[in-house]
Amino acid sequence: MSQPTLSKVAIAPLEPGIFQLQINDPQNDNRLDEALATDLVTALNQLAAEPTLKVLVLRGCKNEKSQDIFCAGGSLEFLRRLSSGEASEKELFLAPYHLLNFPVPIVAALEGQAVGGGLTLALYCDVLIASDRSRYGVNFTTMGFTPGMGTTAILPLLVGDLFANEMMLTGKLYKGRELINRGLFNHVVPRDEVYDLSLDIARRMAEKPRYVLEKLRDVLSQPRRQALQTAMSREHLLHELCFAQPETRQMIEEVYLQR
């Protein structure tokens, strides 16, 4: 039985028990839209059925300017359609849902920037390794709308209410070194060490029986699954209110022009 063609992600076996899922859309800086979300879900479903898999490493790629990018948030076209009511963020919620319900642990190797929904996507993994120089943040408010993809629930769960409030209300993008000891990442290291450390952690996990990893991962993911469920309807309502404001579309265009 042939597998569906994946255009924006790539699957590769790395070592016994360890596979890699790479977000691989360099022309678009790995920006989120329905097509990328669909490819992620399809790839996760394929990998979940792989009996030899014990640990998954999730990473980004270099863009056309040779800059490391994990995921640069929503694409301009998707945000335009979202603000006009032609698209729904509910389609993007499928990716977090499948990440949280994946059977084995996921290590996120954040060599490059992860902003907006791109950072939130990584927060549904189990271990996060970040670069000290790359940028990370939830910049939804900078574009005139409230955070989505479960950010309003998952971020406070990880970093605490006060720092989550600051991150969401200011929309600031932080260098990785500014986020050391904030509870967002397991480790913050030089960029060229991110992948090696991620793989080393994956190897240590892969030494364990799969059934142990499955059972423990299911228990450890429960608080985040509950947080995502809580956030979905609330964030959708907030988006409807924000996108009804005429200045939101203008802010989206202005922010993208400034990048």
Side-chain angles (χ1 to χ4, degrees):
M1 181 177 180
S2 61
Q3 299 285 7
T5 301
L6 302 173
S7 61
K8 296 196 174 190
V9 303
I11 297 172
L14 297 179
E15 298 179 6
I18 305 173
F19 278 69
Q20 175 178 284
L21 174 55
Q22 183 176 31
I23 304 173
N24 189 31
D25 189 16
Q27 291 183 332
N28 298 308
D29 288 343
N30 289 349
R31 297 189 187 279
L32 282 165
D33 58 15
E34 300 99 326
L36 176 54
T38 297
D39 272 9
L40 279 170
V41 169
T42 300
L44 289 167
N45 284 335
Q46 289 181 21
L47 286 160
E50 170 54 54
T52 66
L53 176 64
K54 290 185 175 182
V55 187
L56 179 65
V57 176
L58 178 64
R59 70 187 302 204
C61 67
K62 290 186 182 295
N63 65 9
E64 294 188 319
K65 299 178 182 178
S66 294
Q67 299 169 328
D68 284 304
I69 304 287
F70 177 75
C71 180
S75 72
L76 177 56
E77 285 304 315
F78 178 72
L79 293 179
R80 283 171 173 165
R81 288 185 283 111
L82 196 62
S83 64
S84 66
E86 298 173 16
S88 170
E89 194 200 11
K90 289 182 178 180
E91 296 179 51
L92 297 191
F93 270 110
L94 290 175
Y97 175 83
H98 281 77
L99 285 169
L100 285 175
N101 287 278
F102 197 68
V104 298
I106 304 174
V107 178
L110 307 179
E111 296 151 291
Q113 71 170 355
V115 300
L119 178 59
T120 303
L121 196 69
L123 300 184
Y124 296 110
C125 299
D126 303 286
V127 174
L128 283 72
I129 316 300
S131 160
D132 58 355
R133 292 182 293 163
S134 295
R135 298 189 304 165
Y136 307 98
V138 285
N139 61 337
F140 301 91
T141 55
T142 306
M143 291 181 286
F145 56 93
T146 50
M149 292 183 65
T151 306
T152 57
I154 190 68
L155 193 59
L157 184 67
L158 296 176
V159 304
D161 290 335
L162 294 179
F163 188 52
N165 292 348
E166 178 183 331
M167 290 183 70
M168 289 186 283
L169 290 168
T170 65
K172 177 182 175 180
L173 298 184
Y174 301 80
K175 293 285 188 180
R177 59 179 173 267
E178 298 179 79
L179 296 169
I180 295 174
N181 298 324
R182 287 291 195 173
L184 198 63
F185 305 126
N186 295 78
H187 303 278
V188 178
V189 297
R191 184 177 298 165
D192 59 1
E193 297 178 16
V194 170
Y195 187 67
D196 287 344
L197 179 56
S198 300
L199 191 54
D200 182 62
I201 292 172
R203 289 182 181 124
R204 292 175 181 269
M205 294 180 184
E207 295 171 354
K208 314 302 185 291
R210 172 160 168 153
Y211 69 86
V212 172
L213 297 173
E214 286 182 344
K215 298 300 182 184
L216 184 55
R217 211 262 169 168
D218 181 61
V219 171
L220 296 178
S221 298
Q222 186 61 30
R224 287 175 296 163
R225 286 198 295 268
Q226 292 175 343
L228 178 63
Q229 187 64 37
T230 299
M232 286 179 64
S233 58
R234 177 179 65 201
E235 290 183 353
H236 180 66
L237 176 60
L238 290 173
H239 276 182
E240 287 185 337
L241 296 172
C242 289
F243 291 132
Q245 304 299 316
E247 59 263 41
T248 298
R249 295 186 196 181
Q250 181 181 347
M251 290 182 69
I252 290 171
E253 299 290 337
E254 289 176 350
V255 168
Y256 261 86
L257 287 175
Q258 293 169 4
R259 292 185 174 188

